[in-house]
Structures are given as C-alpha cells and as structure tokens.
mmCIF file of all heavy atoms in Angstrom:
data_model
loop_
_atom_site.group_PDB
_atom_site.id
_atom_site.type_symbol
_atom_site.label_atom_id
_atom_site.label_comp_id
_atom_site.label_asym_id
_atom_site.label_seq_id
_atom_site.Cartn_x
_atom_site.Cartn_y
_atom_site.Cartn_z
ATOM 1 N N MET A 1 -3.601 -19.282 -10.274
ATOM 2 C CA MET A 1 -2.515 -18.942 -9.344
ATOM 3 C C MET A 1 -3.060 -18.089 -8.218
ATOM 4 O O MET A 1 -3.770 -17.110 -8.441
ATOM 5 C CB MET A 1 -1.423 -18.180 -10.111
ATOM 6 C CG MET A 1 -0.260 -17.737 -9.215
ATOM 7 S SD MET A 1 1.010 -16.911 -10.197
ATOM 8 C CE MET A 1 1.981 -16.174 -8.877
ATOM 9 N N GLN A 2 -2.723 -18.448 -7.003
ATOM 10 C CA GLN A 2 -3.180 -17.677 -5.846
ATOM 11 C C GLN A 2 -2.458 -16.333 -5.783
ATOM 12 O O GLN A 2 -1.268 -16.255 -6.057
ATOM 13 C CB GLN A 2 -2.903 -18.454 -4.564
ATOM 14 C CG GLN A 2 -3.758 -19.699 -4.401
ATOM 15 C CD GLN A 2 -5.221 -19.365 -4.179
ATOM 16 O OE1 GLN A 2 -5.547 -18.422 -3.477
ATOM 17 N NE2 GLN A 2 -6.105 -20.124 -4.782
ATOM 18 N N PRO A 3 -3.180 -15.272 -5.414
ATOM 19 C CA PRO A 3 -2.499 -13.986 -5.244
ATOM 20 C C PRO A 3 -1.544 -14.037 -4.059
ATOM 21 O O PRO A 3 -1.779 -14.742 -3.087
ATOM 22 C CB PRO A 3 -3.646 -13.011 -4.989
ATOM 23 C CG PRO A 3 -4.747 -13.852 -4.444
ATOM 24 C CD PRO A 3 -4.611 -15.196 -5.124
ATOM 25 N N MET A 4 -0.481 -13.280 -4.163
ATOM 26 C CA MET A 4 0.446 -13.180 -3.051
ATOM 27 C C MET A 4 -0.172 -12.311 -1.961
ATOM 28 O O MET A 4 -0.693 -11.230 -2.232
ATOM 29 C CB MET A 4 1.752 -12.546 -3.548
ATOM 30 C CG MET A 4 2.799 -12.352 -2.456
ATOM 31 S SD MET A 4 4.369 -11.734 -3.126
ATOM 32 C CE MET A 4 3.851 -10.126 -3.768
ATOM 33 N N LEU A 5 -0.124 -12.779 -0.729
ATOM 34 C CA LEU A 5 -0.667 -12.016 0.388
ATOM 35 C C LEU A 5 0.454 -11.271 1.106
ATOM 36 O O LEU A 5 1.454 -11.861 1.485
ATOM 37 C CB LEU A 5 -1.374 -12.937 1.374
ATOM 38 C CG LEU A 5 -2.625 -13.621 0.845
ATOM 39 C CD1 LEU A 5 -3.206 -14.530 1.909
ATOM 40 C CD2 LEU A 5 -3.648 -12.597 0.409
ATOM 41 N N VAL A 6 0.259 -9.994 1.280
ATOM 42 C CA VAL A 6 1.277 -9.185 1.947
ATOM 43 C C VAL A 6 0.598 -8.298 2.992
ATOM 44 O O VAL A 6 -0.570 -7.925 2.834
ATOM 45 C CB VAL A 6 2.037 -8.303 0.935
ATOM 46 C CG1 VAL A 6 2.838 -9.162 -0.037
ATOM 47 C CG2 VAL A 6 1.085 -7.379 0.198
ATOM 48 N N PRO A 7 1.285 -7.934 4.067
ATOM 49 C CA PRO A 7 0.714 -7.007 5.049
ATOM 50 C C PRO A 7 0.484 -5.645 4.398
ATOM 51 O O PRO A 7 1.295 -5.189 3.590
ATOM 52 C CB PRO A 7 1.796 -6.912 6.133
ATOM 53 C CG PRO A 7 2.710 -8.072 5.896
ATOM 54 C CD PRO A 7 2.629 -8.373 4.426
ATOM 55 N N ALA A 8 -0.618 -5.012 4.727
ATOM 56 C CA ALA A 8 -0.915 -3.713 4.135
ATOM 57 C C ALA A 8 -0.016 -2.627 4.731
ATOM 58 O O ALA A 8 0.290 -2.653 5.924
ATOM 59 C CB ALA A 8 -2.370 -3.347 4.385
ATOM 60 N N PRO A 9 0.396 -1.669 3.908
ATOM 61 C CA PRO A 9 1.145 -0.532 4.442
ATOM 62 C C PRO A 9 0.228 0.343 5.285
ATOM 63 O O PRO A 9 -0.965 0.440 5.020
ATOM 64 C CB PRO A 9 1.615 0.203 3.181
ATOM 65 C CG PRO A 9 0.611 -0.151 2.136
ATOM 66 C CD PRO A 9 0.172 -1.561 2.461
ATOM 67 N N GLU A 10 0.786 0.961 6.294
ATOM 68 C CA GLU A 10 0.026 1.864 7.146
ATOM 69 C C GLU A 10 0.763 3.184 7.266
ATOM 70 O O GLU A 10 1.913 3.311 6.858
ATOM 71 C CB GLU A 10 -0.171 1.234 8.528
ATOM 72 C CG GLU A 10 -1.004 -0.046 8.480
ATOM 73 C CD GLU A 10 -1.136 -0.672 9.850
ATOM 74 O OE1 GLU A 10 -0.849 0.003 10.846
ATOM 75 O OE2 GLU A 10 -1.520 -1.846 9.912
ATOM 76 N N VAL A 11 0.073 4.176 7.835
ATOM 77 C CA VAL A 11 0.686 5.490 8.055
ATOM 78 C C VAL A 11 0.890 5.673 9.554
ATOM 79 O O VAL A 11 -0.043 5.511 10.336
ATOM 80 C CB VAL A 11 -0.209 6.618 7.503
ATOM 81 C CG1 VAL A 11 0.437 7.975 7.759
ATOM 82 C CG2 VAL A 11 -0.454 6.408 6.013
ATOM 83 N N ASN A 12 2.114 5.993 9.951
ATOM 84 C CA ASN A 12 2.392 6.127 11.378
ATOM 85 C C ASN A 12 1.999 7.510 11.899
ATOM 86 O O ASN A 12 1.448 8.336 11.167
ATOM 87 C CB ASN A 12 3.862 5.800 11.661
ATOM 88 C CG ASN A 12 4.818 6.827 11.070
ATOM 89 O OD1 ASN A 12 4.410 7.940 10.731
ATOM 90 N ND2 ASN A 12 6.068 6.471 10.950
ATOM 91 N N ALA A 13 2.281 7.757 13.163
ATOM 92 C CA ALA A 13 1.848 9.002 13.798
ATOM 93 C C ALA A 13 2.486 10.236 13.172
ATOM 94 O O ALA A 13 1.975 11.346 13.312
ATOM 95 C CB ALA A 13 2.165 8.949 15.290
ATOM 96 N N LEU A 14 3.591 10.054 12.473
ATOM 97 C CA LEU A 14 4.276 11.168 11.813
ATOM 98 C C LEU A 14 3.798 11.365 10.375
ATOM 99 O O LEU A 14 4.286 12.235 9.661
ATOM 100 C CB LEU A 14 5.793 10.922 11.816
ATOM 101 C CG LEU A 14 6.436 10.825 13.206
ATOM 102 C CD1 LEU A 14 7.912 10.477 13.079
ATOM 103 C CD2 LEU A 14 6.269 12.127 13.971
ATOM 104 N N GLY A 15 2.834 10.539 9.946
ATOM 105 C CA GLY A 15 2.344 10.658 8.582
ATOM 106 C C GLY A 15 3.219 9.951 7.572
ATOM 107 O O GLY A 15 3.118 10.212 6.373
ATOM 108 N N GLU A 16 4.059 9.042 8.057
ATOM 109 C CA GLU A 16 4.975 8.331 7.179
ATOM 110 C C GLU A 16 4.482 6.916 6.921
ATOM 111 O O GLU A 16 3.901 6.269 7.788
ATOM 112 C CB GLU A 16 6.371 8.264 7.804
ATOM 113 C CG GLU A 16 6.990 9.623 8.026
ATOM 114 C CD GLU A 16 8.226 9.564 8.911
ATOM 115 O OE1 GLU A 16 8.428 8.541 9.597
ATOM 116 O OE2 GLU A 16 8.980 10.544 8.917
ATOM 117 N N CYS A 17 4.763 6.443 5.731
ATOM 118 C CA CYS A 17 4.407 5.091 5.346
ATOM 119 C C CYS A 17 5.282 4.083 6.087
ATOM 120 O O CYS A 17 6.497 4.250 6.174
ATOM 121 C CB CYS A 17 4.600 4.959 3.833
ATOM 122 S SG CYS A 17 4.408 3.311 3.177
ATOM 123 N N THR A 18 4.659 3.020 6.595
ATOM 124 C CA THR A 18 5.434 2.012 7.316
ATOM 125 C C THR A 18 6.211 1.105 6.366
ATOM 126 O O THR A 18 7.041 0.327 6.805
ATOM 127 C CB THR A 18 4.522 1.148 8.203
ATOM 128 O OG1 THR A 18 3.505 0.553 7.402
ATOM 129 C CG2 THR A 18 3.891 1.987 9.298
ATOM 130 N N TRP A 19 5.928 1.201 5.084
ATOM 131 C CA TRP A 19 6.678 0.384 4.118
ATOM 132 C C TRP A 19 7.936 1.074 3.649
ATOM 133 O O TRP A 19 8.987 0.464 3.578
ATOM 134 C CB TRP A 19 5.798 0.073 2.907
ATOM 135 C CG TRP A 19 4.930 -1.129 3.097
ATOM 136 C CD1 TRP A 19 4.473 -1.631 4.286
ATOM 137 C CD2 TRP A 19 4.422 -1.982 2.072
ATOM 138 N NE1 TRP A 19 3.707 -2.729 4.038
ATOM 139 C CE2 TRP A 19 3.653 -2.970 2.708
ATOM 140 C CE3 TRP A 19 4.532 -1.965 0.679
ATOM 141 C CZ2 TRP A 19 3.004 -3.965 1.989
ATOM 142 C CZ3 TRP A 19 3.882 -2.950 -0.033
ATOM 143 C CH2 TRP A 19 3.133 -3.948 0.610
ATOM 144 N N CYS A 20 7.833 2.345 3.287
ATOM 145 C CA CYS A 20 8.975 2.995 2.644
ATOM 146 C C CYS A 20 9.440 4.239 3.386
ATOM 147 O O CYS A 20 10.493 4.788 3.059
ATOM 148 C CB CYS A 20 8.647 3.328 1.187
ATOM 149 S SG CYS A 20 7.387 4.593 1.014
ATOM 150 N N GLY A 21 8.695 4.704 4.383
ATOM 151 C CA GLY A 21 9.142 5.834 5.187
ATOM 152 C C GLY A 21 8.841 7.190 4.580
ATOM 153 O O GLY A 21 9.136 8.221 5.188
ATOM 154 N N GLU A 22 8.263 7.215 3.381
ATOM 155 C CA GLU A 22 7.914 8.494 2.759
ATOM 156 C C GLU A 22 6.557 8.970 3.280
ATOM 157 O O GLU A 22 5.741 8.192 3.736
ATOM 158 C CB GLU A 22 7.837 8.344 1.239
ATOM 159 C CG GLU A 22 9.142 7.902 0.599
ATOM 160 C CD GLU A 22 10.178 9.012 0.553
ATOM 161 O OE1 GLU A 22 9.823 10.174 0.866
ATOM 162 O OE2 GLU A 22 11.330 8.726 0.224
ATOM 163 N N LEU A 23 6.323 10.284 3.192
ATOM 164 C CA LEU A 23 5.044 10.824 3.629
ATOM 165 C C LEU A 23 3.913 10.295 2.759
ATOM 166 O O LEU A 23 4.082 10.070 1.566
ATOM 167 C CB LEU A 23 5.064 12.349 3.557
ATOM 168 C CG LEU A 23 6.017 13.036 4.536
ATOM 169 C CD1 LEU A 23 6.072 14.538 4.247
ATOM 170 C CD2 LEU A 23 5.579 12.799 5.970
ATOM 171 N N GLU A 24 2.725 10.143 3.378
ATOM 172 C CA GLU A 24 1.588 9.595 2.636
ATOM 173 C C GLU A 24 1.256 10.447 1.409
ATOM 174 O O GLU A 24 0.877 9.929 0.370
ATOM 175 C CB GLU A 24 0.371 9.497 3.546
ATOM 176 C CG GLU A 24 -0.835 8.877 2.836
ATOM 177 C CD GLU A 24 -2.048 8.746 3.745
ATOM 178 O OE1 GLU A 24 -2.227 9.579 4.626
ATOM 179 O OE2 GLU A 24 -2.807 7.782 3.530
ATOM 180 N N GLU A 25 1.410 11.771 1.530
ATOM 181 C CA GLU A 25 1.027 12.646 0.416
ATOM 182 C C GLU A 25 1.907 12.446 -0.819
ATOM 183 O O GLU A 25 1.559 12.914 -1.901
ATOM 184 C CB GLU A 25 1.075 14.108 0.864
ATOM 185 C CG GLU A 25 2.483 14.583 1.225
ATOM 186 C CD GLU A 25 2.456 15.872 2.040
ATOM 187 O OE1 GLU A 25 1.663 15.932 2.986
ATOM 188 O OE2 GLU A 25 3.225 16.781 1.720
ATOM 189 N N LEU A 26 3.048 11.788 -0.646
ATOM 190 C CA LEU A 26 3.923 11.514 -1.782
ATOM 191 C C LEU A 26 3.545 10.222 -2.493
ATOM 192 O O LEU A 26 4.123 9.880 -3.522
ATOM 193 C CB LEU A 26 5.380 11.429 -1.314
ATOM 194 C CG LEU A 26 5.925 12.702 -0.668
ATOM 195 C CD1 LEU A 26 7.363 12.490 -0.215
ATOM 196 C CD2 LEU A 26 5.834 13.880 -1.626
ATOM 197 N N HIS A 27 2.548 9.536 -1.957
ATOM 198 C CA HIS A 27 2.105 8.290 -2.559
ATOM 199 C C HIS A 27 0.954 8.571 -3.515
ATOM 200 O O HIS A 27 -0.197 8.646 -3.112
ATOM 201 C CB HIS A 27 1.640 7.316 -1.480
ATOM 202 C CG HIS A 27 2.756 6.798 -0.602
ATOM 203 N ND1 HIS A 27 3.411 7.564 0.300
ATOM 204 C CD2 HIS A 27 3.323 5.568 -0.519
ATOM 205 C CE1 HIS A 27 4.342 6.825 0.918
ATOM 206 N NE2 HIS A 27 4.304 5.620 0.437
ATOM 207 N N VAL A 28 1.274 8.743 -4.778
ATOM 208 C CA VAL A 28 0.253 8.999 -5.784
ATOM 209 C C VAL A 28 0.241 7.839 -6.769
ATOM 210 O O VAL A 28 1.216 7.603 -7.477
ATOM 211 C CB VAL A 28 0.526 10.319 -6.536
ATOM 212 C CG1 VAL A 28 -0.604 10.597 -7.527
ATOM 213 C CG2 VAL A 28 0.683 11.472 -5.555
ATOM 214 N N ALA A 29 -0.864 7.138 -6.786
ATOM 215 C CA ALA A 29 -0.993 6.007 -7.699
ATOM 216 C C ALA A 29 -1.186 6.516 -9.125
ATOM 217 O O ALA A 29 -1.518 7.681 -9.339
ATOM 218 C CB ALA A 29 -2.183 5.140 -7.271
ATOM 219 N N PRO A 30 -0.963 5.643 -10.121
ATOM 220 C CA PRO A 30 -1.101 6.050 -11.525
ATOM 221 C C PRO A 30 -2.463 6.652 -11.865
ATOM 222 O O PRO A 30 -2.571 7.503 -12.758
ATOM 223 C CB PRO A 30 -0.876 4.738 -12.292
ATOM 224 C CG PRO A 30 0.012 3.943 -11.398
ATOM 225 C CD PRO A 30 -0.458 4.276 -9.994
ATOM 226 N N ASP A 31 -3.504 6.248 -11.149
ATOM 227 C CA ASP A 31 -4.838 6.783 -11.438
ATOM 228 C C ASP A 31 -5.112 8.090 -10.700
ATOM 229 O O ASP A 31 -6.216 8.622 -10.762
ATOM 230 C CB ASP A 31 -5.916 5.752 -11.123
ATOM 231 C CG ASP A 31 -5.959 5.393 -9.638
ATOM 232 O OD1 ASP A 31 -5.159 5.959 -8.858
ATOM 233 O OD2 ASP A 31 -6.781 4.549 -9.265
ATOM 234 N N GLY A 32 -4.107 8.590 -9.973
ATOM 235 C CA GLY A 32 -4.257 9.866 -9.299
ATOM 236 C C GLY A 32 -4.678 9.771 -7.850
ATOM 237 O O GLY A 32 -4.695 10.775 -7.145
ATOM 238 N N GLU A 33 -5.020 8.580 -7.404
ATOM 239 C CA GLU A 33 -5.420 8.409 -6.019
ATOM 240 C C GLU A 33 -4.204 8.535 -5.103
ATOM 241 O O GLU A 33 -3.142 7.989 -5.390
ATOM 242 C CB GLU A 33 -6.072 7.033 -5.830
ATOM 243 C CG GLU A 33 -6.593 6.815 -4.424
ATOM 244 C CD GLU A 33 -7.309 5.478 -4.288
ATOM 245 O OE1 GLU A 33 -7.449 4.777 -5.303
ATOM 246 O OE2 GLU A 33 -7.715 5.147 -3.171
ATOM 247 N N VAL A 34 -4.384 9.281 -4.015
ATOM 248 C CA VAL A 34 -3.301 9.448 -3.058
ATOM 249 C C VAL A 34 -3.533 8.564 -1.852
ATOM 250 O O VAL A 34 -4.609 8.574 -1.262
ATOM 251 C CB VAL A 34 -3.195 10.925 -2.604
ATOM 252 C CG1 VAL A 34 -2.087 11.075 -1.548
ATOM 253 C CG2 VAL A 34 -2.903 11.824 -3.790
ATOM 254 N N GLY A 35 -2.532 7.781 -1.496
ATOM 255 C CA GLY A 35 -2.655 6.920 -0.331
ATOM 256 C C GLY A 35 -1.634 5.807 -0.398
ATOM 257 O O GLY A 35 -1.260 5.361 -1.483
ATOM 258 N N VAL A 36 -1.206 5.363 0.769
ATOM 259 C CA VAL A 36 -0.168 4.334 0.782
ATOM 260 C C VAL A 36 -0.672 3.005 0.241
ATOM 261 O O VAL A 36 0.067 2.263 -0.402
ATOM 262 C CB VAL A 36 0.417 4.150 2.195
ATOM 263 C CG1 VAL A 36 1.132 5.422 2.651
ATOM 264 C CG2 VAL A 36 -0.655 3.776 3.208
ATOM 265 N N ARG A 37 -1.940 2.705 0.502
ATOM 266 C CA ARG A 37 -2.460 1.415 0.035
ATOM 267 C C ARG A 37 -2.547 1.387 -1.486
ATOM 268 O O ARG A 37 -2.104 0.436 -2.138
ATOM 269 C CB ARG A 37 -3.835 1.156 0.647
ATOM 270 C CG ARG A 37 -3.784 0.989 2.163
ATOM 271 C CD ARG A 37 -5.168 0.819 2.740
ATOM 272 N NE ARG A 37 -5.704 -0.502 2.479
ATOM 273 C CZ ARG A 37 -5.709 -1.483 3.395
ATOM 274 N NH1 ARG A 37 -5.250 -1.281 4.596
ATOM 275 N NH2 ARG A 37 -6.194 -2.654 3.109
ATOM 276 N N ALA A 38 -3.144 2.424 -2.072
ATOM 277 C CA ALA A 38 -3.307 2.466 -3.519
ATOM 278 C C ALA A 38 -1.951 2.506 -4.221
ATOM 279 O O ALA A 38 -1.730 1.832 -5.230
ATOM 280 C CB ALA A 38 -4.142 3.678 -3.923
ATOM 281 N N PHE A 39 -1.034 3.300 -3.677
ATOM 282 C CA PHE A 39 0.277 3.441 -4.301
ATOM 283 C C PHE A 39 1.033 2.122 -4.305
ATOM 284 O O PHE A 39 1.539 1.682 -5.335
ATOM 285 C CB PHE A 39 1.081 4.501 -3.561
ATOM 286 C CG PHE A 39 2.478 4.678 -4.109
ATOM 287 C CD1 PHE A 39 2.716 5.504 -5.192
ATOM 288 C CD2 PHE A 39 3.539 4.002 -3.531
ATOM 289 C CE1 PHE A 39 4.000 5.660 -5.695
ATOM 290 C CE2 PHE A 39 4.835 4.148 -4.034
ATOM 291 C CZ PHE A 39 5.066 4.981 -5.116
ATOM 292 N N HIS A 40 1.116 1.487 -3.153
ATOM 293 C CA HIS A 40 1.895 0.261 -3.087
ATOM 294 C C HIS A 40 1.174 -0.905 -3.751
ATOM 295 O O HIS A 40 1.812 -1.830 -4.226
ATOM 296 C CB HIS A 40 2.270 -0.053 -1.634
ATOM 297 C CG HIS A 40 3.358 0.840 -1.122
ATOM 298 N ND1 HIS A 40 4.624 0.825 -1.639
ATOM 299 C CD2 HIS A 40 3.358 1.807 -0.173
ATOM 300 C CE1 HIS A 40 5.367 1.732 -1.015
ATOM 301 N NE2 HIS A 40 4.615 2.342 -0.125
ATOM 302 N N ARG A 41 -0.133 -0.854 -3.810
ATOM 303 C CA ARG A 41 -0.854 -1.891 -4.550
ATOM 304 C C ARG A 41 -0.464 -1.842 -6.023
ATOM 305 O O ARG A 41 -0.179 -2.881 -6.630
ATOM 306 C CB ARG A 41 -2.358 -1.697 -4.411
ATOM 307 C CG ARG A 41 -3.172 -2.851 -4.990
ATOM 308 C CD ARG A 41 -4.603 -2.456 -5.289
ATOM 309 N NE ARG A 41 -5.223 -1.707 -4.193
ATOM 310 C CZ ARG A 41 -5.720 -2.278 -3.099
ATOM 311 N NH1 ARG A 41 -5.671 -3.562 -2.949
ATOM 312 N NH2 ARG A 41 -6.272 -1.532 -2.166
ATOM 313 N N SER A 42 -0.433 -0.653 -6.582
ATOM 314 C CA SER A 42 -0.084 -0.540 -7.996
ATOM 315 C C SER A 42 1.377 -0.927 -8.220
ATOM 316 O O SER A 42 1.721 -1.510 -9.242
ATOM 317 C CB SER A 42 -0.341 0.880 -8.494
ATOM 318 O OG SER A 42 0.558 1.804 -7.912
ATOM 319 N N ALA A 43 2.233 -0.612 -7.231
ATOM 320 C CA ALA A 43 3.645 -0.967 -7.361
ATOM 321 C C ALA A 43 3.844 -2.476 -7.331
ATOM 322 O O ALA A 43 4.748 -3.000 -7.965
ATOM 323 C CB ALA A 43 4.456 -0.295 -6.262
ATOM 324 N N LEU A 44 2.989 -3.161 -6.595
ATOM 325 C CA LEU A 44 3.093 -4.612 -6.495
ATOM 326 C C LEU A 44 2.537 -5.315 -7.726
ATOM 327 O O LEU A 44 2.873 -6.460 -7.995
ATOM 328 C CB LEU A 44 2.330 -5.113 -5.259
ATOM 329 C CG LEU A 44 2.975 -4.809 -3.913
ATOM 330 C CD1 LEU A 44 1.962 -5.061 -2.801
ATOM 331 C CD2 LEU A 44 4.207 -5.648 -3.698
ATOM 332 N N GLY A 45 1.676 -4.640 -8.440
ATOM 333 C CA GLY A 45 1.034 -5.274 -9.580
ATOM 334 C C GLY A 45 -0.199 -6.040 -9.162
ATOM 335 O O GLY A 45 -0.589 -6.049 -8.000
ATOM 336 N N GLY A 46 -0.821 -6.706 -10.112
ATOM 337 C CA GLY A 46 -2.089 -7.361 -9.844
ATOM 338 C C GLY A 46 -1.981 -8.669 -9.106
ATOM 339 O O GLY A 46 -2.998 -9.265 -8.765
ATOM 340 N N SER A 47 -0.779 -9.122 -8.832
ATOM 341 C CA SER A 47 -0.625 -10.450 -8.242
ATOM 342 C C SER A 47 -0.633 -10.434 -6.723
ATOM 343 O O SER A 47 -0.579 -11.482 -6.100
ATOM 344 C CB SER A 47 0.680 -11.089 -8.716
ATOM 345 O OG SER A 47 1.788 -10.327 -8.286
ATOM 346 N N ALA A 48 -0.708 -9.260 -6.123
ATOM 347 C CA ALA A 48 -0.634 -9.176 -4.666
ATOM 348 C C ALA A 48 -1.920 -8.604 -4.087
ATOM 349 O O ALA A 48 -2.567 -7.757 -4.684
ATOM 350 C CB ALA A 48 0.549 -8.309 -4.245
ATOM 351 N N ARG A 49 -2.279 -9.102 -2.923
ATOM 352 C CA ARG A 49 -3.422 -8.563 -2.190
ATOM 353 C C ARG A 49 -3.010 -8.364 -0.743
ATOM 354 O O ARG A 49 -2.185 -9.104 -0.210
ATOM 355 C CB ARG A 49 -4.616 -9.516 -2.262
ATOM 356 C CG ARG A 49 -5.113 -9.707 -3.690
ATOM 357 C CD ARG A 49 -6.303 -10.624 -3.739
ATOM 358 N NE ARG A 49 -7.499 -10.026 -3.145
ATOM 359 C CZ ARG A 49 -8.670 -10.629 -3.089
ATOM 360 N NH1 ARG A 49 -8.794 -11.853 -3.576
ATOM 361 N NH2 ARG A 49 -9.704 -10.049 -2.543
ATOM 362 N N PHE A 50 -3.632 -7.363 -0.116
ATOM 363 C CA PHE A 50 -3.313 -7.094 1.282
ATOM 364 C C PHE A 50 -4.070 -8.066 2.178
ATOM 365 O O PHE A 50 -5.242 -8.370 1.943
ATOM 366 C CB PHE A 50 -3.660 -5.658 1.647
ATOM 367 C CG PHE A 50 -2.846 -4.647 0.872
ATOM 368 C CD1 PHE A 50 -3.443 -3.512 0.363
ATOM 369 C CD2 PHE A 50 -1.489 -4.841 0.663
ATOM 370 C CE1 PHE A 50 -2.699 -2.576 -0.338
ATOM 371 C CE2 PHE A 50 -0.748 -3.916 -0.048
ATOM 372 C CZ PHE A 50 -1.347 -2.776 -0.561
ATOM 373 N N ILE A 51 -3.397 -8.521 3.205
ATOM 374 C CA ILE A 51 -3.959 -9.575 4.069
ATOM 375 C C ILE A 51 -5.303 -9.167 4.660
ATOM 376 O O ILE A 51 -6.233 -9.968 4.741
ATOM 377 C CB ILE A 51 -2.946 -9.929 5.175
ATOM 378 C CG1 ILE A 51 -1.759 -10.679 4.570
ATOM 379 C CG2 ILE A 51 -3.609 -10.763 6.281
ATOM 380 C CD1 ILE A 51 -0.613 -10.924 5.538
ATOM 381 N N ASP A 52 -5.418 -7.897 5.057
ATOM 382 C CA ASP A 52 -6.659 -7.491 5.720
ATOM 383 C C ASP A 52 -7.806 -7.246 4.740
ATOM 384 O O ASP A 52 -8.887 -6.842 5.133
ATOM 385 C CB ASP A 52 -6.431 -6.272 6.613
ATOM 386 C CG ASP A 52 -5.949 -5.052 5.843
ATOM 387 O OD1 ASP A 52 -5.810 -5.159 4.597
ATOM 388 O OD2 ASP A 52 -5.715 -4.020 6.461
ATOM 389 N N GLU A 53 -7.576 -7.483 3.448
ATOM 390 C CA GLU A 53 -8.647 -7.356 2.466
ATOM 391 C C GLU A 53 -9.224 -8.717 2.082
ATOM 392 O O GLU A 53 -10.139 -8.802 1.277
ATOM 393 C CB GLU A 53 -8.112 -6.659 1.200
ATOM 394 C CG GLU A 53 -7.725 -5.210 1.481
ATOM 395 C CD GLU A 53 -7.125 -4.544 0.266
ATOM 396 O OE1 GLU A 53 -6.716 -5.245 -0.673
ATOM 397 O OE2 GLU A 53 -7.057 -3.293 0.261
ATOM 398 N N ILE A 54 -8.674 -9.762 2.662
ATOM 399 C CA ILE A 54 -9.124 -11.110 2.344
ATOM 400 C C ILE A 54 -10.227 -11.530 3.307
ATOM 401 O O ILE A 54 -10.174 -11.228 4.496
ATOM 402 C CB ILE A 54 -7.944 -12.103 2.451
ATOM 403 C CG1 ILE A 54 -6.832 -11.688 1.487
ATOM 404 C CG2 ILE A 54 -8.411 -13.525 2.169
ATOM 405 C CD1 ILE A 54 -7.233 -11.681 0.043
ATOM 406 N N GLY A 55 -11.180 -12.224 2.769
ATOM 407 C CA GLY A 55 -12.203 -12.817 3.623
ATOM 408 C C GLY A 55 -13.338 -11.926 3.783
ATOM 409 O O GLY A 55 -14.308 -11.742 3.396
HETATM 410 ZN ZN1 LIG B 101 5.180 3.824 1.061
#
C-alpha cells in the first residue's frame, strides 16, 4: 500500500503551526521530540509521509 502523501506542517512568523494553530513548543511527540513535523507525523501514524520528504 502506498503511503498517503500530505503537505508538511510549517511554523509561521508568529511561531504557530500552520496545521493546527498551536505554538510549535506545544508540539511534543511521544518520543519527546519537539516540533510540528514530528508531532503531526506521529498523529498521522505510519501510513502518511510529507510531500517534501519524497524523492
Ligand atoms: Zn500543529
């Protein structure tokens, strides 16, 4: 099964996530890593990959 491709979340000039609007520092993945990419990757599960990570 092909992984689902989704646009990667980014942090805007105010330090807010473009996906959910929360501050980046509130994005703590289960492994303790802080960041919008790691947090939302874990929330999506293993079936999703960010478009800019392909190729
Ligand atoms: Zn977010």
Side-chain angles (χ1 to χ4, degrees):
M1 178 178 167
Q2 291 292 321
M4 178 175 63
L5 294 179
V6 295
E10 296 178 15
V11 179
N12 68 18
L14 298 176
E16 298 168 344
C17 173
T18 56
W19 274 26
C20 67
E22 299 286 351
L23 293 173
E24 182 179 32
E25 65 197 46
L26 299 179
H27 291 70
V28 183
D31 63 1
E33 184 177 356
V34 178
V36 296
R37 295 177 75 101
F39 178 84
H40 285 295
R41 188 200 314 280
S42 68
L44 288 167
S47 63
R49 297 181 69 179
F50 297 138
I51 289 173
D52 61 1
E53 294 177 343
I54 301 299

